[in-house]
Amino acid sequence: MDEESVSGSRKIEYETSRLDDVNRWVNILYIQATGKGDEFTTDIMDWADYCREPRMAHYFNNMNLLHVSYAAFGKEGHGPDEGYLRCRRYPKADDGSFSQTEKPDSFHTGLFHTVETYHVTAIKNGDRLFFHVQGEAKQTLFSWHSILIVEVSQGRIGLRHMWMKSARYENFTVSVLRV
């Protein structure tokens, strides 16, 4: 792994503004992503060309990571306040399910409205993950506590959008969390 890979407890901060008005699909923060092995080597940049075709299966079948889906609406169209936020582990389970989804899921968040700027702070420390979102009119702290979180210990940090999603990001920082 190179200097772009991080290990241990981390704090990730950024501002984001959703630019689309499509109430389906998701935006994703990847936390400490590595390849699952074989041709999908630990450093995901070694096989970045494979991911040029933006198929979700390229990610959830071949990466070991923790992720937060936000500004998320699923396949069906929903109202702007009906978005959800979820924490997940990749890769998918051997049976093809997303059984490594952390609870609780948060539905009807009322966050990530188009054009509004949100400050996001994600803190991963041991077996805990915190995801704080502050907008102009609302702020919410989401948290998860699980052995699946501590299992992810190093890798790259990244952002991903599913089809038709668009956002602007500013002031993206990653720092060592001193506890």
Side-chain angles (χ1 to χ4, degrees):
M1 303 298 297
D2 62 25
E3 68 277 358
E4 298 298 320
S5 175
V6 297
S7 61
S9 298
R10 294 295 171 186
K11 178 179 176 182
I12 304 161
E13 287 188 277
Y14 56 95
E15 279 89 40
T16 183
S17 301
R18 184 175 157 205
L19 302 177
D20 66 80
D21 59 2
V22 176
N23 291 334
R24 27 174 67 185
W25 314 123
V26 303
N27 293 3
I28 302 170
L29 170 64
Y30 284 156
I31 301 171
Q32 296 176 316
T34 60
K36 72 173 190 176
D38 299 323
E39 71 266 32
F40 302 103
T41 60
T42 301
D43 187 351
I44 62 174
M45 291 308 293
D46 291 345
W47 44 280
D49 285 344
Y50 175 76
C51 293
R52 289 202 190 280
E53 179 188 359
R55 296 182 60 223
M56 281 301 295
H58 288 180
Y59 299 87
F60 59 64
N61 288 328
N62 303 309
M63 289 180 155
N64 178 37
L65 61 81
L66 184 65
H67 97 229
V68 177
S69 298
Y70 63 94
F73 295 91
K75 295 178 188 177
E76 307 302 323
H78 296 284
D81 289 328
E82 296 181 51
Y84 69 86
L85 195 137
R86 165 179 294 152
C87 176
R88 244 189 203 146
R89 274 276 276 114
Y90 288 171
K92 285 173 60 173
D94 291 337
D95 67 3
S97 71
F98 282 114
S99 61
Q100 298 190 94
T101 297
E102 293 305 314
K103 301 298 179 194
D105 288 336
S106 297
F107 294 96
H108 305 280
T109 66
L111 295 166
F112 299 106
H113 293 275
T114 302
V115 185
E116 185 175 342
T117 298
Y118 293 87
H119 183 89
V120 172
T121 304
I123 296 175
K124 180 185 170 287
N125 185 28
D127 61 358
R128 297 198 63 100
L129 177 65
F130 301 93
F131 194 82
H132 181 257
V133 181
Q134 174 144 11
E136 297 166 12
K138 182 176 182 178
Q139 68 176 321
T140 305
L141 175 64
F142 304 90
S143 66
W144 301 271
H145 182 221
S146 170
I147 190 66
L148 294 177
I149 294 168
V150 77
E151 288 175 357
V152 176
S153 61
Q154 71 172 11
R156 292 182 180 267
I157 293 171
L159 299 164
R160 185 172 193 289
H161 300 151
M162 288 182 72
W163 184 61
M164 298 175 59
K165 300 298 280 182
S166 176
R168 178 178 52 244
Y169 298 94
E170 298 177 294
N171 304 317
F172 196 98
T173 62
V174 179
S175 55
V176 175
L177 183 63
R178 307 259 187 238
V179 291

